Each structure stands twice: as structure tokens, then as C-alpha cells.
Amino acid sequence: MADYIISGGTVVTMNADRDIIKAGAVVLEGDKIKAVGPDRKIRRDYSPAGGTVEIIDAAEKIVFPGLINTHVHSFQTLLKGLETDTGLDRWLTNVITPSVAEVNEQEAYYGAVLSGLDALRSGTTTVTDYQYAQHMYELNPAVVKGFRDLGLRLVFARGFADTGVQFGANPAELESIDVIDDGTRRLVREYPGDESRLIMIALAPSAVWMCTPELLEWAAAFSREYGLLVTSHIAETDYDNECSVAVHGRGDFGACEQHGLINERMLMVHCVRLREEDVRRAAEKGAAFSYNPVSNMYLASGAAPLREILRHGLTGSFGTDGAASNNSNDMLETMKAGILQAKSFYRDPQAFTAMNALEYAAISGARALGLEDQIGSIETGKKADLFIFNPSASAKSTPCHEPVAGLAYASDSRNIETVFVNGRPVLLNNTVTGLHERTAIQAAGEAARRLVERMRRSLQL
Ligand SMILES: [Zn+2]
């Protein structure tokens, strides 16, 4: 039996051979991909006679594996366009620091909804949300509900910090290790994870210099105990490394390595100032990397050392970062920006190609999250996470001679017609299925206005 047959499109599988099947088809059953192959064979083997299978006509369209965003801060979606063009210091002081202490449950929910809508409309099926506003536990379930209402796959990374006020950390962000331990255990109990893999808990030490050595040790032990992914901002700027040297006697990477965090469960975000020797050691130990080109350019942080990262085989993925340092969670824009940043930084057209970008956004992104056997490609037995791309939906994307180049260079949300997550359509023929999109966007806009008004009042005090 099959539930859906996506029929007649070009299927970009991202399997080990990177097969692209022209006039292909994908069969979905339950939460999984049941079969993928030439349309004629699939239609013969899975004829709908007597069944309830739904045929989705994908002729003249392209089927891609769902994109995987490995770094987001969803509540920042409410803070777009504030303190633009000022750089990291002022942006942190005037936007991020006050918001962390102010955001409430309703705002956290709408931040997740807005972020998730932007994500799914850009073909994203998995989001890693790094939630560091922790002044009340209730923010966490509110965020989870936002992504659940949309039907997205979520890695929920619980942020934490216990020091760093001397370098600009907000005291409201800091918690004791006991409180962090209690809160994280509660989360793991509440969201133990199941076969659906629709929600997974991860650990997110904030900036490395915002964690004492004891807290990093705690994170390493907790990650070992529960087998959880750890993700942290690593070497985003020289300032981060300098602060870490003051707190730990080593830069971000060295401190994490010293405390047992550099291993196959570590996802390092940004890495703009990571030295080649550290790239090599990270690759050797099986860690992974999240490339956030739009955010790095937006905050004028620089360019991650992609050439070294590719040369040493460090597993890579894409993140949009929070919308406050990007203005969107659009993965299509991120892919294009990531390619162009690397090409221009190295003055080399081969530095990072369209195929490299799709690998980062799909199969390699899955590997970075430890989910390579579940998602990231269109292969039999994997979770049914994919999207249908209509190249004739806009002048921008027409003509589309090469599917991967079309996706990477000439696409936007107008091309994303249908998105499946876990075998269920979360966007069907351009309509969001989980909630009423226009009503949600309006409510989110109002929530954002209220939050920013309170932030401005608190800054004037
Ligand atoms: Zn970030």
C-alpha cells in the first residue's frame, strides 16, 4: 500500500551516487519513503487499484529532499530590522540582550510560527532551534508547539550560560548549573523522542565564554549520558576567542576540546575564526560545522574557512542563524549567499559549488545532526521529508536547464509548491496545512510590536 505517489517529476535523490532520475516517482507510505525510481515502473508496481493512494502530478517539476537548517534562534524572528548596519556589539546590546529577558510565552510561540513558515516556504523540513531565552521554562513548550502546529521536524537545542557579564552577557541569561540541569532533565522527560523523530532535544552552551569550565564539563557529561547533540557558537569573531581565553585560558575550540565536547555529537556554529589546525582536529574527531553565511556577512564577522573545511572533510551544514542577524530563515537565500561568499572570498569559482550547497542543505546537514540514516536524501526507508519545486512558477526561475543550479541560484519561495514532513503534507499546492497562515502572520506581527515596545521602555530606564 502507498499513501502518496509523487509522479513524473525529476527526482534529485542526493543518494550516495547523487542520482537524478528524470521522469521519476516517489512512493510515500506512513512516515517513510517506500520506493523511488522511474515513473513508469513505480506506477506499474504501485497501481492505485482499489486503494486510497493519492497521486500528485509532478510532471515538469523537480522533487528535492527537504532542506535542513542547523542553526536558528526562532524568537529573533520578532526582531527583524532592528539596529541594522551597526555590527555585533551594538546589535547585542540594543537588540539581543534586552529581548532575552523580555520574551514571553505567546511571543516565543509566534516567533517559532513565523520562523517555521519562512522555513517551510523555502523547502525546509528540519529546523534546529537554539533557544537561549530561558527565564521561564514555559517558553520551551511554547516554541515546540509553534513548530508542531506547522508539522516541521525540530531539533530543540536548550541554550544555557552561567558567566560572561564582564564581557557583555546579559545577567538575565545566566543560570546556575543546578537550574540548568533540572530544566534540561525536565525537557528530556517531557520530549523523550520516539520513532517519528519529529522532536529531538539537544544541548546548546551559549558562547563558550558564557560557560564556566564546570558548565562545559556538565554539558559533556549530560550529552554522553543521553546521547544528545551539543551545538555552540564557535569562533564567530576574534572577540569570542579572546573572551574564551580570559575565561578558559584557550580559545573557543580549545576550551571545548579540553572539556570533552569535540566529538561526533558536536555541531560547531560559525567557525569564522577557526584555525586550520582546529578544523583538522574537529574533522578527525567527527564533529560537524554549521555554515551561516548570511549572518556572518550581515554582522560583518567575515567568511568561514570553507576551503580548509572541505579539504579536511569536516561534515558541513547550513544555518540561517536567527532572523535578527539575517532578517529571514530562508534556506534558498542562504544556499546562494553561501556559494557566493566562498567564491568571492577565495576568488575561486570552484570554492563551493551548487552541488556542495545542496549537500550541505540536505545529506550532509542530516549527518551534522546525527540523522543521516533518517533524512537528507530521497531513498527507500528514509523519512518522507521532501519538497516539490515548480520552476515555471516565476520568471526568475525560468528556464531551469539544471535542477541543482536552478535551486541554488534562481529560486525563491514561489517555487516551493508542496512540502512533505514525515509523510504528511505541511504545504500542499501552496497552502500551509497546519494553521491559517495569514491570521498567524498578523498575530505574530502584533506580538512582535508588543515585545519591541517593552524592550524600548526597558532600555530607557
Ligand atoms: Zn546563533
Side-chain angles (χ1 to χ4, degrees):
M1 261 314 295
D3 297 319
Y4 295 93
I5 299 176
I6 299 167
S7 166
T10 297
V11 182
V12 177
T13 63
M14 297 308 282
N15 65 12
D17 296 328
R18 305 289 184 258
D19 287 327
I20 296 177
I21 306 166
K22 288 192 173 149
V26 187
V27 181
L28 313 187
E29 185 183 276
D31 62 348
K32 293 210 170 61
I33 294 165
K34 172 100 172 167
V36 52
D39 189 45
R40 225 184 302 164
K41 180 178 183 322
I42 294 280
R43 292 293 290 266
R44 200 175 55 231
D45 295 352
Y46 295 90
S47 92
T52 55
V53 61
E54 195 166 322
I55 311 280
I56 296 178
D57 181 9
E60 311 293 324
K61 296 173 189 172
I62 307 163
V63 188
F64 288 100
L67 306 182
I68 296 167
N69 187 340
T70 61
H71 191 68
V72 175
H73 309 286
S74 65
F75 77 91
Q76 287 188 11
T77 308
L78 305 175
L79 307 170
K80 288 173 194 168
L82 297 174
E83 291 287 345
T84 56
D85 316 325
T86 55
L88 190 63
D89 289 2
R90 271 192 64 178
W91 174 81
L92 274 174
T93 314
N94 291 342
V95 181
I96 299 308
T97 300
S99 67
V100 167
E102 280 290 347
V103 66
N104 66 27
E105 279 170 79
Q106 196 194 33
E107 290 151 2
Y109 171 78
Y110 279 116
V113 167
L114 265 191
S115 168
L117 283 171
D118 201 3
L120 76 85
R121 282 208 170 269
S122 64
T124 307
T125 51
T126 298
V127 173
T128 306
D129 191 27
Y130 188 132
Q131 167 70 22
Y132 58 87
Q134 287 291 342
H135 58 90
M136 56 172 135
Y137 180 83
E138 289 67 27
L139 297 180
N140 299 325
V143 167
V144 172
K145 180 171 165 29
F147 286 103
R148 262 193 183 159
D149 283 356
L150 292 167
L152 286 167
R153 196 176 295 288
L154 175 66
V155 176
F156 183 87
R158 203 272 190 199
F160 47 81
D162 69 343
T163 189
V165 174
Q166 67 275 37
F167 303 114
N170 181 353
E173 265 184 83
L174 308 187
E175 302 171 288
S176 70
I177 295 181
D178 282 348
V179 170
I180 294 166
D181 186 74
D182 281 352
T184 313
R185 281 183 201 280
R186 186 172 166 192
L187 261 182
V188 171
R189 267 198 315 275
E190 219 161 298
Y191 305 102
D194 57 27
E195 275 302 295
S196 77
R197 305 282 191 125
L198 279 170
I199 174 152
M200 290 151 283
I201 301 297
L203 306 178
S206 203
V208 177
W209 52 266
M210 285 171 70
C211 298
T212 56
E214 294 73 28
L215 183 54
L216 294 182
E217 296 273 344
W218 171 87
F222 200 96
S223 156
R224 245 192 331 270
E225 184 181 347
Y226 289 94
L228 301 183
L229 182 84
V230 180
T231 182
S232 189
H233 300 103
I234 301 286
E236 182 173 359
T237 63
D238 286 330
Y239 183 72
D240 289 300
N241 276 330
E242 286 158 17
C243 294
S244 272
V245 168
V247 174
H248 298 284
R250 301 165 188 233
D252 284 352
F253 181 84
C256 286
E257 193 176 36
Q258 183 183 19
H259 297 297
L261 285 164
I262 302 298
N263 55 43
E264 69 288 348
R265 292 188 304 281
M266 170 53 103
L267 172 62
M268 308 183 296
V269 182
H270 297 306
C271 300
V272 172
R273 306 301 291 163
L274 198 63
R275 299 173 313 161
E276 178 162 9
E277 171 57 15
D278 297 336
V279 171
R280 190 186 65 73
R281 295 167 73 86
E284 221 171 68
K285 294 183 173 187
F289 157 62
S290 176
Y291 181 32
N292 289 235
V294 176
S295 172
N296 297 152
M297 288 192 273
Y298 189 93
L299 295 174
S301 304
L306 259 281
R307 184 182 276 169
E308 289 74 14
I309 284 167
L310 291 173
R311 186 191 304 141
H312 291 287
L314 181 61
T315 297
S317 63
F318 269 121
T320 55
D321 211 350
S325 64
N326 177 316
N327 280 274
S328 91
N329 291 145
D330 181 338
M331 280 287 281
L332 299 172
E333 183 185 79
T334 294
M335 288 170 69
K336 182 169 179 176
I339 300 168
L340 299 184
Q341 188 188 35
K343 283 178 194 277
S344 70
F345 182 69
Y346 291 108
R347 299 186 193 185
D348 173 5
Q350 289 282 306
F352 195 69
T353 63
M355 182 49 95
N356 287 145
L358 183 55
E359 285 169 349
Y360 265 42
I363 187 65
S364 184
R367 196 176 306 138
L369 296 176
L371 295 171
E372 193 185 2
D373 59 337
Q374 302 281 330
I375 56 174
S377 59
I378 300 178
E379 292 182 87
T380 302
K382 279 203 172 179
K383 298 287 189 194
D385 289 10
L386 51 83
F387 66 92
I388 301 173
F389 180 94
N390 180 2
S392 52
S394 72
K396 179 182 176 182
S397 54
T398 305
C400 182
H401 298 300
E402 296 288 340
V404 177
L407 181 76
Y409 293 119
S411 64
D412 60 37
S413 60
R414 288 171 295 179
N415 303 115
I416 312 297
E417 203 171 76
T418 289
V419 179
F420 275 87
V421 179
N422 217 42
R424 192 182 145 243
V426 298
L427 182 76
L428 190 58
N429 298 320
N430 284 309
T431 302
V432 174
T433 61
L435 44 71
H436 190 270
E437 187 176 20
R438 210 166 332 146
T439 309
I441 289 175
Q442 200 176 352
E446 283 158 18
R449 271 189 292 281
R450 285 193 297 273
L451 171 64
V452 171
E453 266 169 36
R454 291 204 313 283
M455 280 164 54
R456 291 201 162 127
R457 270 204 303 274
S458 75
L459 276 177
Q460 280 157 12
L461 288 176

